[in-house]
Amino acid sequence: MSAYVHLVPWIVLIPLAGFLINGLMGLASESFRNKKSLIGGIGTLAVFIPFLMAVWLLIAMQSDSEAASISLFTWIEAGNFTTDIGYRLDQLSLVMTLVVTGVGALIHFYSIGYMADDEGFWKFFAFLNLFIFAMLNLVLADNMLLLFLGWEGVGLCSYLLIGYWYTDMAKSDAAKKAFLYNRVGDFAFLIAMFMIFQVIGSLRFEDILAGTGLFTADQVFIIGLLILIGATGKSAQIPLFVWLPDAMAGPTSVSALIHAATMVTSGIYVISRMSPFFMISAELMLFVAVIGAFTAIIAATIALTKYDIKTVLAYSTVSQLGFMFLALGSGAYIAAMFHVVTHAFFKACLFLGSGSVIHAMHHVEHKLHDQGKDVHFDPQDMRYMGGLKDYLPSTYKTFLIATIAIAGIPPLAGFFSKDQILMMTFNAGMGEYGAVYFGLWGIGVVTAFLTAFYMFRLTFGTFHGSFRLPEKFEQARGSASYLHESPFTMTSVLWALAGLSIVGGFIGIPNFVVATFTGTSADVNIIGRWLDIVTLETELVLSKEVEWVLLFGAIIVALVAVFLAFRMYGEGQLEVSDKRISKRLGALYQVWDEKYKFDEIYEGGIVRPTVRFSDRFLAVFDMKAIDGFVNFVAALVRFFGSVFRYFQTGLVQTYAFGIVLGVILVVYMLLFR
Amino acid sequence: MIELDWYLGLSAVLFTIGVIGVLTRKNAIVIFMCAELMLNSVNLTLVSFSTQLADVHGQILVFFALCIAAAEAAVGLAIIIAIYRNNLTVDVSRINLLRW
Amino acid sequence: MESYIFVLFATLAVAAAIGMITSRDTVNSALFLVLNLISVAGIFLLLKAQFLAVVQVLVYGGAIMVLFLFVIMLLNLSDEENLLSRLSVKYILAFFLGVIVLAQLLYAISSYTGTLPDVSAEIVQIGTVESIGDALFNIYILPVLVTAMLLTAAVVGALLLAQRKLSDKKPND
């Protein structure tokens, strides 16, 4: 592999070049800004070429290839702390690179069509390229500091892109919220890095993973906890997940790329990378699993009550990320990474599909306004949609495919990865803290049920039944004819992602399925074989019979949920059925609808006291202490001025005194030194 | 000859008296004359060393110092006359416009 | 014999110097300075620097001090107060600084004695007109010419500084 590792810096630097070209040329010349196809082309190529390089590396690499590192130059050298800008090529980082550049390239292409009417087109693509650059730094870094650089970089790009339409106060507030919550996580991550450096003396992953024996049990727990907190910030888990639903204020491509496929998976990547470290402490693993499971179910219940399609998808992302954390906590790093890959496919497809729907609804609104009809509605609200499957056929079909995938229905991608996670969680029930893991498995199954249910609620509510806008607004009668399918640049991407959602699962067929039929132990789990060398997994101790039972159980759960959703929403009776549910569940539904009051708790418990504290205490401190100090300095200068005034008499004899004094001193120096 | 020390000691005493005079007197012309006294004492030092070392260059230096002192005296006195014309006094404690 | 002459001249020089700085009358100060210069010329003779002794009397005493006296009498200044009549901070401080300067100089002198070579027999040749003239016009010819220019510049400068303004001049001046 060391022969190919020279390709890695190019993979990282080409998106940076894209950022610089689009950014600088866009800043400099008006005419460049209007060449939207050129900008879009440069932006997309800047991600597509690295994807081709990654594919090349994939072909060259085998599942048992050694990891290879390449160091570009020494970044920091301070005392006995040295860090390089160095990249590490192994199976894990290559998988992430393929996802980032592959899905990224598709989304770039989609954005050419989606953002075509936007003024700051060049800025958008520049930021997207910058994001890819930071993300690649994150996944390819060979030391924690460079990873942290990428970590912060993606946080920054997330801020820039969420608040892309910054003139809207609510949107820029959402961007600020994302950045601040990320920051809390980053702080924890930084402290973890300090502690690791103290024990190991280096931040390179090679050194850390080789030296796991040097940590005491307490240190492992604390450092792991801190890294976990960092991961909850980036990957939107409890307690730091509240920024992700607000982040939907950004353009849909951004939601798809950053908040579904790539940035939010960085937490999972880090924990997978550090798997030997995490495996040391069973308590730590349990903590991770608990957080993951509870996040998954809480987010799923909230998604059940929401009408904004992007909000539902956002909570769905949080829930699926919870699944991945559950996998990590159960020692199933391969399953977690597998779910990262499949989730990228179908979630990106879902988000881009919703973008297509929103695009169409916007068009309807514009058309109505052009006719002078004063109709205002939220183009993302499901209650105004319905029956879109006749008007947006490609969008509908791809959306449906992705929904089937996320619901976990075989043989689509989501089924394989989700099933593997649940199986490994059940497997962990055989080990330490077994009872807890069984409970978590139960939560996971319920969440899988809810996932299928609310996702099909979303699909049916948006696409089935009849178009509801005319029912809500008298003036919108006949507006259904304004709905139209999105251009080819957008639908082609949808089909590509849908296709990947169909076949993507086959890289991870569980071995026992084939083994049962061939009678011998089989090794068809490609991704399992691939990642085995870089992560440390728990042993699979379940017998084949149990595995089959779990498999069928998962399928049945999913099908029941789909059936139920079809009965309740299939004809487009969205609000009616929702009312029935809320009546049945009463207070519980209320809690879900209010998002468990997470935002309110943070606002009241943290934000407002801080603001009050700064108003009362810091303002006083600022006035008295800081201003007082500055005034003191001024008074000091004035005092010295009044003293030195007496030196400037204007009399020659005074100056003669000074000269003689000086001569005496100089002669003294010469005589006695 | 007498010990060199004596000549140098005498020169030092004359120099000191000159310094005290510069710092003490109010009349600008007298201050100037004290400065001449200091120059003179240095000449004495140079000549005594020149004799001790049997080197004529010391005395050449004194010769030139003398010429320069003459030139300086001329110009300095012209300045004092100019100051007198403007202020009607040569009392240095009354000439302090440089204060501002 | 030499030492007696030296003591005589030295005492005279110091006394004249002190007299110069303590005298109330400006003219008296100038005359004391003349006395001082002549005593120093005498000491030059003791040091066998014949040429310089004569030049000292001629130039310093004869020309420069006469110039001083001209200016003093031109300005027609009134007498100063007696120096020691008021004991102000200035006098004490000046005296103090003077003492320190003297101490430093004497220290410097005392630490270097005994390191100089002995007097040789050629002394008599050093101070004569011939030897000085020889050095001046062979080795130091350039400084001599420059000094000539300097003196010219000084004369011009003095003229310029001291002249009355043109408007003050009466027509037949």
Side-chain angles (χ1 to χ4, degrees):
Chain A
M1 253 0 263
S2 41
Y4 297 95
V5 79
H6 293 282
L7 217 46
V8 172
W10 289 107
I11 296 182
V12 178
L13 290 173
I14 291 181
L16 180 66
F19 161 69
L20 288 172
I21 295 176
N22 271 332
L24 294 175
M25 296 277 297
L27 266 178
S29 99
E30 175 82 42
S31 63
F32 183 78
R33 274 177 250 159
N34 293 329
K35 299 196 180 74
K36 292 199 175 154
S37 335
L38 181 63
I39 297 173
I42 293 176
T44 311
L45 276 177
V47 183
F48 187 64
I49 294 177
F51 174 66
L52 292 175
M53 290 183 184
V55 171
W56 173 259
L57 287 173
L58 178 70
I59 298 172
M61 187 185 248
Q62 278 98 28
S63 58
D64 52 1
S65 301
E66 291 265 309
S69 294
I70 180 171
S71 168
L72 284 185
F73 58 88
T74 308
W75 180 17
I76 299 177
E77 205 170 325
N80 52 354
F81 173 61
T82 355
T83 308
D84 295 350
I85 302 277
Y87 297 109
R88 178 192 171 91
L89 181 63
D90 63 12
Q91 288 82 349
L92 180 61
S93 57
L94 188 59
V95 165
M96 286 298 292
T97 308
L98 282 167
V99 170
V100 169
T101 51
V103 177
L106 285 171
I107 294 178
H108 275 70
F109 188 65
Y110 178 92
S111 306
I112 299 180
Y114 189 71
M115 302 293 286
D117 299 325
D118 197 277
E119 268 300 306
F121 193 78
W122 60 278
K123 233 189 324 173
F124 188 74
F125 274 90
F127 288 154
L128 276 183
N129 278 110
L130 184 65
F131 168 80
I132 300 278
F133 168 69
M135 190 70 201
L136 286 172
N137 264 307
L138 199 161
V139 298
L140 285 167
D142 84 337
N143 59 71
M144 283 187 90
L145 198 58
L146 185 59
L147 185 144
F148 191 65
L149 177 81
W151 188 270
E152 295 278 12
V154 297
L156 170 70
C157 292
S158 174
Y159 168 80
L160 290 171
L161 286 164
I162 295 173
Y164 179 67
W165 291 307
Y166 56 86
T167 47
D168 184 339
M169 195 60 185
K171 295 190 165 71
S172 73
D173 276 347
K176 218 178 0 171
K177 183 172 179 180
F179 197 76
L180 286 174
Y181 278 97
N182 265 203
R183 215 73 193 89
V184 175
D186 296 346
F187 179 63
F189 195 83
L190 209 50
I191 297 184
M193 278 205 291
F194 294 156
M195 290 181 72
I196 290 179
F197 179 71
Q198 213 179 20
V199 175
I200 302 277
S202 149
L203 288 176
R204 299 193 69 209
F205 284 117
E206 276 174 353
D207 303 331
I208 298 174
L209 296 175
T212 51
L214 296 172
F215 294 95
T216 69
D218 284 337
Q219 280 174 331
V220 169
F221 187 73
I222 294 179
I223 294 177
L225 199 61
L226 289 168
I227 294 182
L228 176 65
I229 294 176
T232 59
K234 236 346 154 254
S235 299
Q237 299 293 293
I238 295 172
L240 297 172
F241 70 96
V242 290
W243 62 269
L244 191 54
D246 284 41
M248 296 298 116
T252 313
S253 322
V254 171
S255 307
L257 181 62
I258 299 184
H259 307 125
T262 45
M263 180 178 105
V264 291
T265 56
S266 14
I268 292 136
Y269 167 74
V270 166
I271 298 184
S272 295
R273 176 59 82 202
M274 302 281 286
S275 55
F277 183 81
F278 273 76
M279 291 289 274
I280 297 176
S281 163
E283 289 75 27
L284 183 61
M285 300 287 280
L286 184 66
F287 210 78
V288 174
V290 165
I291 285 191
F294 276 98
T295 308
I297 194 164
I298 287 177
T301 52
I302 299 177
L304 207 48
T305 64
K306 295 295 161 206
Y307 291 107
D308 184 323
I309 42 176
K310 282 180 75 174
T311 307
V312 174
L313 290 175
Y315 281 106
S316 166
T317 305
V318 174
S319 179
Q320 295 301 305
L321 290 168
F323 259 109
M324 296 178 214
F325 272 79
L326 177 61
L328 292 172
S330 310
Y333 300 95
I334 298 178
M337 289 307 295
F338 186 28
H339 202 57
V340 166
V341 174
T342 57
H343 177 261
F345 295 150
F346 53 69
K347 196 42 79 59
C349 183
L350 285 168
F351 264 110
L352 296 183
S354 74
S356 180
V357 167
I358 296 169
H359 196 78
M361 295 296 283
H362 253 304
H363 186 78
V364 171
E365 196 182 10
H366 275 300
K367 262 296 205 291
L368 287 173
H369 286 168
D370 286 344
Q371 292 177 348
K373 298 193 180 139
D374 190 28
V375 178
H376 292 284
F377 60 93
D378 182 2
Q380 299 180 199
D381 195 321
M382 259 201 294
R383 292 173 286 196
Y384 301 114
M385 300 180 196
L388 296 180
K389 71 178 192 294
D390 300 318
Y391 302 97
L392 282 71
S394 286
T395 309
Y396 169 62
K397 293 191 189 109
T398 54
F399 205 86
L400 187 62
I401 292 173
T403 309
I404 297 175
I406 195 176
I409 295 174
L412 271 65
F415 163 70
F416 289 103
S417 53
K418 202 182 293 191
D419 176 62
Q420 198 166 352
I421 292 177
L422 288 174
M423 197 172 313
M424 292 305 284
T425 310
F426 194 83
N427 178 52
M430 302 293 176
E432 248 181 288
Y433 297 107
V436 186
Y437 277 104
F438 277 124
L440 297 179
W441 174 82
I443 293 179
V445 171
V446 173
T447 312
F449 175 84
L450 287 172
T451 306
F453 185 74
Y454 69 69
M455 281 311 296
F456 271 97
R457 166 179 175 264
L458 178 65
T459 310
F460 292 143
T462 310
F463 293 98
H464 283 217
S466 54
F467 193 47
R468 282 189 281 273
L469 188 62
E471 297 165 28
K472 307 275 179 185
F473 293 102
E474 187 62 43
Q475 300 176 331
R477 201 154 287 188
S479 52
S481 56
Y482 300 140
L483 292 166
H484 68 97
E485 184 60 269
S486 305
F488 175 72
T489 52
M490 288 163 68
T491 52
S492 54
V493 173
L494 291 174
W495 278 111
L497 287 169
L500 283 169
S501 305
I502 297 177
V503 302
F506 292 122
I507 58 172
I509 304 176
N511 288 330
F512 74 90
V513 172
V514 178
T516 312
F517 295 113
T518 63
T520 56
S521 62
D523 199 17
V524 293
N525 191 341
I526 303 176
I527 193 168
R529 208 185 333 138
W530 193 260
L531 289 175
D532 194 38
I533 195 173
V534 287
T535 54
L536 203 59
E537 283 250 317
T538 344
E539 284 289 309
L540 186 60
V541 296
L542 303 174
S543 65
K544 281 211 214 56
E545 291 72 34
V546 176
E547 288 179 336
W548 275 109
V549 167
L550 290 174
L551 189 100
F552 276 110
I555 298 177
I556 291 172
V557 162
L559 286 174
V560 167
V562 174
F563 181 68
L564 203 58
F566 185 72
R567 277 292 301 274
M568 296 180 74
Y569 300 104
E571 309 298 318
Q573 58 292 47
L574 181 65
E575 289 170 81
V576 174
S577 297
D578 276 346
K579 271 214 196 43
R580 275 178 54 196
I581 296 180
S582 88
K583 242 194 284 204
R584 275 284 189 78
L585 298 171
L588 198 58
Y589 193 84
Q590 196 69 1
V591 172
W592 294 347
D593 194 21
E594 289 173 354
K595 306 174 293 182
Y596 293 78
K597 291 220 180 228
F598 260 100
D599 276 317
E600 286 75 17
I601 295 173
Y602 287 145
E603 170 80 27
I606 299 175
V607 175
R608 240 180 283 141
T610 312
V611 172
R612 232 180 306 151
F613 173 72
S614 64
D615 274 343
R616 296 252 193 81
F617 177 70
L618 290 180
V620 168
F621 179 72
D622 184 51
M623 274 208 302
K624 297 270 177 58
I626 297 184
D627 284 359
F629 178 69
V630 174
N631 291 344
F632 166 71
V633 171
L636 200 65
V637 172
R638 206 184 309 138
F639 168 71
F640 275 110
S642 63
V643 165
F644 285 129
R645 180 168 68 89
Y646 291 108
F647 282 76
Q648 291 278 43
T649 53
L651 294 175
V652 179
Q653 273 186 329
T654 316
Y655 301 147
F657 261 105
I659 292 174
V660 173
L661 205 56
V663 169
I664 291 176
L665 283 170
V666 171
V667 172
Y668 175 76
M669 290 291 176
L670 286 173
L671 282 180
F672 296 107
R673 299 268 170 209
Chain B
M1 60 170 267
I2 319 286
E3 291 278 331
L4 185 66
D5 295 2
W6 295 74
Y7 292 105
L8 297 181
L10 173 65
S11 159
V13 170
L14 286 177
F15 185 83
T16 310
I17 295 175
V19 167
I20 295 178
V22 165
L23 296 176
T24 314
R25 296 295 298 248
K26 280 192 320 193
N27 193 326
I29 301 179
V30 175
I31 293 177
F32 204 9
M33 287 198 292
C34 296
E36 294 290 334
L37 180 58
M38 288 157 72
L39 276 167
N40 196 36
S41 77
V42 175
N43 288 351
L44 178 57
T45 309
L46 281 167
V47 170
S48 45
F49 269 112
S50 157
T51 308
Q52 171 78 355
L53 299 173
D55 193 350
V56 77
H57 298 290
Q59 299 190 4
I60 304 289
L61 188 52
V62 171
F63 179 82
F64 280 117
L66 213 54
C67 296
I68 309 277
E72 165 216 1
V75 175
L77 287 170
I79 292 176
I80 290 181
I81 292 181
I83 290 176
Y84 178 79
R85 275 228 201 85
N86 282 326
N87 302 35
L88 279 181
T89 177
V90 286
D91 183 347
V92 288
S93 60
R94 304 258 290 275
I95 305 173
N96 60 0
L97 284 177
L98 273 179
R99 185 165 57 189
W100 287 291
Chain C
M1 179 63 190
E2 254 187 39
S3 10
Y4 294 129
I5 303 182
F6 172 75
V7 170
L8 175 66
F9 277 134
T11 320
L12 205 53
V14 174
I18 293 180
M20 184 191 90
I21 68 170
T22 57
S23 147
R24 270 172 29 190
D25 189 356
T26 322
V27 177
N28 282 355
S29 289
L31 292 173
F32 272 124
L33 186 58
V34 173
L35 183 57
N36 184 62
L37 291 170
I38 295 176
S39 322
V40 172
I43 297 181
F44 280 177
L45 275 175
L46 267 178
L47 286 168
K48 306 192 173 52
Q50 315 148 354
F51 179 66
L52 275 182
V54 174
V55 164
Q56 167 105 332
V57 174
L58 272 179
V59 172
Y60 238 129
I64 295 178
M65 290 320 297
V66 171
L67 187 60
F68 265 101
L69 280 164
F70 273 161
V71 172
I72 292 170
M73 290 178 187
L74 181 68
L75 298 186
N76 205 7
L77 304 161
S78 55
D79 290 352
E80 269 185 52
E81 300 172 2
N82 194 340
L83 193 63
L84 299 174
S85 64
R86 288 177 311 132
L87 208 61
S88 76
V89 178
K90 187 167 75 168
Y91 298 151
I92 299 174
L93 201 54
F95 183 71
F96 185 58
L97 281 181
V99 167
I100 295 180
V101 171
L102 185 60
Q104 282 187 328
L105 284 169
L106 291 177
Y107 177 80
I109 293 167
S110 62
S111 58
Y112 280 103
T113 52
T115 61
L116 294 166
D118 287 334
V119 179
S120 69
E122 296 169 12
I123 308 170
V124 185
Q125 265 64 15
I126 294 296
T128 56
V129 182
E130 290 93 346
S131 67
I132 291 189
D134 183 24
L136 260 186
F137 290 105
N138 280 331
I139 309 172
Y140 292 101
I141 182 67
L142 190 58
V144 168
L145 293 172
V146 171
T147 310
M149 286 205 312
L150 178 75
L151 288 169
T152 318
V155 168
V156 171
L159 265 174
L160 213 54
L161 281 168
Q163 70 174 352
R164 291 176 186 276
K165 295 199 244 313
L166 281 165
S167 56
D168 294 346
K169 278 208 174 115
K170 297 199 187 58
N172 51 356
D173 263 351

